[in-house]
């Protein structure tokens, strides 16, 4: 009934301040929800971006047995041929071969377990951003042989600086312990502290003499142009090389998905709190609006307005308030998210904390269509549910008593 | 002929669990079409309670109310709403009108609930506004009208549904004597010319003097019932 809507709409503006307060609360709830969602998304996307850029790439190929202990015998046969094949795909941005080994690094004062990444510098720079992360010294190639890039964090643990010597110890093909001296050529820092603490980079040509003895590769890292092609390209590779293990970043770092879903879940709690506050505000205000109109409602019932219509009127009033607030909230939320997507939210104060978990200290907020819908639907459901209480209160009035009030 | 209102042995007790208050205690009433009745009595004598029971807003504890032969005391709440809508017009002391609707819209509202067509609603609303003498206020909201004008709109609204009778609980209580007298003029005219049945409660002697029949209540009982001509 259109008149009922008209009456409801006019009724809500009888108390301008109060109605504006609800409209504002709704808008604020949506804004806060969008902003938080955008922040969480931005954090998650930032983490994934960092992991892909610095650590994992989109896809990696190994010998199926290699991952367990990184034993030097499990090399990829004809890795160069595979690389040539992969490079032809239009989905590829870059691909690199690596010779990776597990070992220990020792300085005069300390030792640490590490992963030694034997890289082909010319290829590596196209796949990972390691060269850009150097904060002291230089990237490869250098003048002398046996040079190493070390995470700044690890260098502090080992108390070494650029130019110092360290010794790495590892096992070779025959399971003999071998070792070699390397000079620290430079220090790098990514925004993932645990990674920095456990990864060193050397030229693969300086590493294989210690392990396989011959130039071999046991890791192929692939960077795609677009994450969207991931699943498709992974399955192409799996079909092409059934004997090898092809893994996406998700499979390489299952904990990444886990942390992200954990963060997302905490978002649910946050949204719950917002919605609860909103519901409380709506119920309170609308109950007040019903109680102070007791006589008027009694009059309407006496006139012949059915309980259903009374219910509907109060229901409409609530819904109209919510619908008035929603566009403001969405607009403000979208604008805030857009602003911080462009400018980023700097968290330099918490930089260390964030980096110790592998998160960037600059979060670029982002929300997708589903996020908008989820939040809008949540708010609308909250409004619908909270409108039931005041509407029920109104319906329960006895006309004879209401008029006497 | 069946009386338009037949109230039989109405009893209404409040606070039954504690000290019972016999708001109405054995009231019999017969009111015929076209009567112009004042229900009078001291405060607390049961006027409002009687009107509410006759109007189907309240159920009697004992006894029954028949409107044109239909027992409304046994009706379900939903049926009663429909019955009220079609048969009874109400005018209250205050809070009569929907504040967010104009005078005309207020009058149309009842007809809207009766699902009448838009043209008919408009036509009748304007007619009624003319009858109560405030055609020029059609598009004003209640807050823009004086108390007397508001009560006139309330009377017009009560008539919009073409009810069998109009119940008015102290319709002049909030009005100055001139406005009260004007309202009574209008009610009397409608009674005379359109044969509208009015039952109104009042304290005001000047209003009582205008009634054609005066029923006096005391302690929930009818103590006198006099007709004038
Ligand atoms: N809801 C209620 N609960 C308890 N007692 C009530 C209730 N409503 C009315 N009463 C009592 O019933 C009696 C009759 O009340 P009623 O309102 O019908 O009187 P009235 O003649 O209309 O009085 P007034 O002239 O003051 O309007 C009074 O004693 C009143 O206190
Ligand atoms: Mg009374």
């Amino acid at each position: 009934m259109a008149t009922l809507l008209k009456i409801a709409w006019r009724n809500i503006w009888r108390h301008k301040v109060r109605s504006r307060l609800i409209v504002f609360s709704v808008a604020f709830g949506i804004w806060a929800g969008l902003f938080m969602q955008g922040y969480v998304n931005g954090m998650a996307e930032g983490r994934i971006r960092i992991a892909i850029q610095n650590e994992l790439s989109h896809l990696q190929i190994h010998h199926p047995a290699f991952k367990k202990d990184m034993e030097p015998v499990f090399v990829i046969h004809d890795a160069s041929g595979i690389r040539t094949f992969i490079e032809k795909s239009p989905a590829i941005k870059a691909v690199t071969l690596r010779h990776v080994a597990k070992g220990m690094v020792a300085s005069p004062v300390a030792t640490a377990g590490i992963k030694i990444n034997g890289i082909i510098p010319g290829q590596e720079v196209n796949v990972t951003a390691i060269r850009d992360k150097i904060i002291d010294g230089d990237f490869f190639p250098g003048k002398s042989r046996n040079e190493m890039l070390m995470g700044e964090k690890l260098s502090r643990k080992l108390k070494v600086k650029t130019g110092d010597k360290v010794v790495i110890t590892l096992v070779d093909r025959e399971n003999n312990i071998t070792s070699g001296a390397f000079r620290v050529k430079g220090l790098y820092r990514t925004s993932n502290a645990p990674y920095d603490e456990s990864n060193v980079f050397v030229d693969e040509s300086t590493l294989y003499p210690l392990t396989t003895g011959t130039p071999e590769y046991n890791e192929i890292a692939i960077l795609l142009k677009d994450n969207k092609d991931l699943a498709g390209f992974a399955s192409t590779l799996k079909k092409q090389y059934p004997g090898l293990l092809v893994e996406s970043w998700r499979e390489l770092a299952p904990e990444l998905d886990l942390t992200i879903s954990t963060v997302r879940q905490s978002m649910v709690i946050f949204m719950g709190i917002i919605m609860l506050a909103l519901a409380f505000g709506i119920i309170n205000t609308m109950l007040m609006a019903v109680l102070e109109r007791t006589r008027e409602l009694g009059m309407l019932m006496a006139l012949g307005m059915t309980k259903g219509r009374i219910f509907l009127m109060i229901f409409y009033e609530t819904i109209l308030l919510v619908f008035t607030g929603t566009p403001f909230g969405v607009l403000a939320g979208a604008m805030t998210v857009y602003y911080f997507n462009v400018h980023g939210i700097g968290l330099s104060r918490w930089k260390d904390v964030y980096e110790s978990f592998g998160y960037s200290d600059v979060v670029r907020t982002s929300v997708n269509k589903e996020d908008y819908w989820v939040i809008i639907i949540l708010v609308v459901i909250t409004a619908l549910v909270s409108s039931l209480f005041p509407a029920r209160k109104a319906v329960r009035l006895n006309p004879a008593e209401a008029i006497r009030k | 002929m069946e009386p338009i209102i037949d109230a039989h042995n109405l009893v209404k007790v409040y606070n039954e669990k504690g000290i019972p208050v016999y708001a109405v205690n054995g009231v019999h009433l017969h009111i015929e079409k076209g009567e112009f009745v004042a229900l009078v009595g001291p405060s607390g004598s049961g006027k409002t309670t009687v009107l509410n029971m006759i109007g189907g807003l309240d159920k009697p504890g004992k006894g029954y109310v028949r409107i044109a032969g239909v027992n409304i005391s046994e009706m379900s709440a939903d049926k009663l709403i429909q019955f009220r809508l079609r048969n009874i017009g109400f005018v209250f002391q205050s809070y009569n009108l929907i504040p967010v609707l104009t005078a005309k819209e207020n009058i149309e509202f009842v007809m809207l609930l009766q699902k009448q067509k838009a043209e008919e609603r408009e036509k009748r609303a304007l007619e009624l506004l003319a009858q109560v003498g405030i055609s020029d206020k059609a598009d004003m909201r209640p807050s823009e009208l004086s108390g007397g004008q508001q009560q006139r709109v309330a009377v017009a609204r009560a008539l919009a549904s073409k009810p069998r009778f109009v119940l008015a609980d102290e319709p002049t209580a909030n009005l100055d004597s001139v406005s009260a007298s004007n309202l009574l003029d209008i009610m009397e005219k409608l009674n005379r010319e359109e044969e509208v049945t009015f039952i109104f409660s009042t304290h005001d002697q000047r209003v009582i003097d205008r009634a054609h029949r005066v029923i006096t209540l005391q302690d929930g009982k009818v103590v006198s019932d006099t007709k004038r001509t």
Side-chain angles (χ1 to χ4, degrees):
Chain A
M1 195 158 102
T3 308
L4 218 50
L5 256 176
K6 181 168 83 181
I7 293 175
W9 176 252
R10 290 182 184 171
N11 273 341
I12 63 182
W13 299 112
R14 282 159 77 177
H15 278 269
K16 288 207 175 61
V17 174
R18 194 164 66 194
S19 293
R20 283 197 190 120
L21 202 69
I22 296 197
V23 168
F24 177 80
S25 315
V26 169
F28 181 79
I30 292 179
W31 173 82
L34 280 174
F35 180 59
M36 277 308 291
Q37 185 68 57
Y39 187 82
V40 166
N41 288 351
M43 226 162 98
E45 279 163 22
R47 173 71 192 102
I48 290 169
R49 202 176 47 239
I50 286 171
I52 289 173
Q53 267 178 13
N54 298 350
E55 305 154 30
L56 302 169
S57 311
H58 285 106
L59 288 160
Q60 288 187 11
I61 303 175
H62 297 101
H63 186 288
F66 177 78
K67 264 187 92 177
K68 192 161 165 270
D69 282 318
M70 294 192 184
E71 286 179 58
V73 290
F74 300 122
V75 298
I76 301 168
H77 295 294
D78 189 26
S80 299
I82 295 171
R83 178 173 182 269
T84 311
F85 170 80
I86 291 170
E87 237 182 352
K88 281 190 199 127
S89 164
I92 292 301
K93 194 164 172 194
V95 52
T96 188
L97 305 178
R98 291 186 192 132
H99 185 109
V100 179
K102 235 167 57 168
M104 302 279 289
V105 59
S107 75
V109 295
T111 59
I114 47 158
K115 183 177 166 195
I116 306 151
N117 298 278
I119 59 170
I120 303 170
Q123 288 179 14
E124 187 71 30
V125 292
N126 297 322
V127 176
T128 59
I130 186 70
R131 184 170 56 185
D132 307 325
K133 303 291 170 188
I134 292 185
I135 55 163
D136 191 44
D138 297 299
F139 191 64
F140 304 108
K143 285 166 241 100
S144 60
R145 289 193 58 76
N146 281 19
E147 289 178 325
M148 173 189 281
L149 292 176
M150 182 182 278
E152 186 210 14
K153 188 105 194 246
L154 180 61
S155 77
R156 268 191 265 142
K157 189 170 163 187
L158 298 177
K159 297 202 165 57
V160 294
K161 28 182 220 305
T162 305
D164 290 353
K165 267 198 171 167
V166 292
V167 173
I168 60 173
T169 308
L170 30 66
V171 292
D172 71 7
R173 217 178 180 124
E174 276 82 42
N175 269 334
N176 300 316
I177 306 281
T178 61
S179 60
F182 283 77
R183 189 177 294 281
V184 178
K185 179 168 171 50
L187 303 179
Y188 71 86
R189 184 166 70 202
T190 70
S191 47
N192 184 356
Y195 178 85
D196 292 3
E197 203 174 346
S198 57
N199 282 273
V200 300
F201 293 84
V202 301
D203 193 310
E204 53 81 36
S205 63
T206 62
L207 184 60
Y208 74 75
L210 297 172
T211 55
T212 50
T214 50
E216 303 278 5
Y217 300 96
N218 48 30
E219 185 168 289
I220 302 175
I222 302 160
L223 192 66
L224 300 176
K225 287 187 182 127
D226 195 329
N227 195 38
K228 284 194 194 87
D229 298 326
L230 185 64
F233 195 63
S235 70
T236 307
L237 287 180
K238 280 176 189 162
K239 249 179 247 148
Q240 186 75 18
Y241 304 110
L244 293 172
L245 182 63
V246 179
E247 291 170 297
S248 69
W249 58 266
R250 279 214 163 79
E251 296 158 307
L252 290 163
E255 75 281 0
L256 208 61
D257 259 356
L258 194 74
T259 41
I260 287 163
S261 64
T262 310
V263 176
R264 287 244 161 90
Q265 272 159 28
S266 61
M267 186 59 205
V268 172
I269 296 170
F270 181 80
M271 287 306 290
I273 293 170
I274 293 184
M275 292 308 136
L276 218 68
L278 190 61
F280 193 75
I282 291 175
I283 291 172
N284 242 340
T285 317
M286 289 310 293
L287 269 182
M288 213 194 305
V290 166
L291 288 180
E292 69 186 18
R293 274 189 288 162
T294 301
R295 272 197 281 200
E296 192 180 315
L297 292 169
M299 177 267 293
L300 289 171
M301 288 176 173
L303 284 190
M305 215 153 120
T306 55
K307 286 185 187 288
R309 290 205 166 114
I310 297 269
F311 190 93
L312 211 58
M313 184 178 82
I314 303 295
F315 183 74
Y316 281 162
E317 288 180 19
T318 318
I319 293 302
L320 284 172
L321 283 171
V322 172
F323 283 178
T324 308
T326 302
F328 290 109
V330 170
L331 197 71
M335 272 165 30
T336 311
V337 167
Y338 176 78
Y339 179 86
F340 286 113
N341 185 275
V342 173
H343 296 275
I345 302 175
L347 300 154
S348 38
R349 240 149 69 95
W350 305 99
K351 194 175 165 72
D352 293 345
V353 179
Y354 272 79
E355 288 188 354
S356 64
F357 292 108
Y359 285 89
S360 166
D361 64 322
V362 175
V363 174
R364 296 188 183 278
T365 51
S366 91
V367 283
N368 48 37
K369 263 201 220 94
E370 294 91 76
D371 294 331
Y372 279 109
W373 284 118
V374 165
I375 287 162
I376 290 171
I377 288 168
L378 260 180
V379 168
V380 170
I381 289 175
T382 305
L384 292 183
V385 172
S386 2
S387 70
L388 299 182
F389 293 90
R392 204 180 63 145
K393 180 88 187 168
V395 166
R396 291 199 162 180
L397 292 172
N398 170 318
E401 275 166 33
I403 293 164
R404 273 180 198 273
K405 288 273 156 61
Chain B
M1 199 184 97
E2 192 102 47
I4 198 165
I5 298 170
D6 171 16
H8 181 82
N9 192 27
L10 293 182
V11 175
K12 184 79 185 176
V13 187
Y14 288 112
N15 194 21
E16 276 175 296
K17 279 164 205 143
I19 303 159
V21 177
Y22 281 83
V24 172
N25 195 2
V27 166
H28 294 268
L29 278 179
H30 287 250
I31 291 167
E32 308 286 340
K33 184 168 169 55
E35 286 201 84
F36 199 63
V37 185
L39 201 57
V40 305
S43 186
S45 56
K47 303 184 290 295
T48 298
T49 310
V50 167
L51 286 178
N52 283 348
M53 287 190 288
I54 294 173
L57 296 176
D58 218 350
K59 295 232 163 183
K62 254 191 225 155
Y64 60 80
V65 174
R66 274 209 276 234
I67 308 287
V70 179
N71 187 338
I72 64 164
S73 304
E74 284 170 0
M75 264 185 204
S76 72
D78 287 339
K79 275 210 170 138
L80 204 51
I81 288 173
Q82 288 307 315
F83 188 87
R84 280 207 299 268
L85 186 58
R86 289 177 202 291
N87 296 282
I88 310 171
F90 289 95
V91 177
F92 304 106
Q93 181 180 333
S94 55
Y95 292 93
N96 257 306
L97 303 176
I98 301 168
V100 296
L101 297 184
T102 64
K104 188 168 127 244
E105 286 170 336
N106 260 287
I107 297 168
E108 284 189 47
F109 185 69
V110 181
M111 293 184 271
L112 193 72
L113 292 176
Q114 288 185 323
K115 302 201 168 68
Q116 292 190 27
K117 289 208 187 71
E119 312 91 70
E120 280 171 39
R121 295 200 306 255
E122 163 128 37
K123 188 167 155 261
R124 179 140 175 83
L126 293 174
E127 241 172 58
L128 286 163
L129 280 167
Q131 279 185 335
V132 298
I134 44 170
S135 292
D136 53 328
K137 308 282 189 257
D139 295 322
M140 291 196 177
R141 295 216 186 161
S143 58
E144 298 165 313
L145 300 174
S146 73
Q149 289 164 343
Q150 286 181 34
Q151 290 305 73
R152 291 192 205 188
V153 178
V155 169
R157 201 240 349 246
L159 293 174
S161 58
K162 301 205 170 132
R164 290 175 188 274
F165 58 91
V166 175
L167 296 175
D169 194 4
E170 311 207 23
T172 60
N174 286 354
L175 302 183
D176 60 82
S177 57
V178 176
S179 302
S181 160
N182 286 341
L183 189 69
L184 258 290
D185 288 345
I186 287 161
M187 285 164 61
E188 215 172 7
K189 187 187 82 179
L190 287 164
N191 174 257
R192 198 172 53 240
E193 292 174 3
E194 317 271 329
E195 243 192 303
V196 180
T197 312
F198 277 98
I199 301 113
F200 50 92
S201 73
T202 184
H203 282 127
D204 187 339
Q205 191 54 48
R206 283 167 299 184
V207 175
I208 298 169
D209 291 344
R210 306 278 296 262
H212 303 166
R213 176 180 170 189
V214 178
I215 299 169
T216 310
L217 287 179
Q218 200 164 345
D219 297 330
K221 289 195 166 93
V222 177
V223 291
S224 80
D225 187 344
T226 50
K227 280 193 186 167
R228 277 185 289 218
T229 39

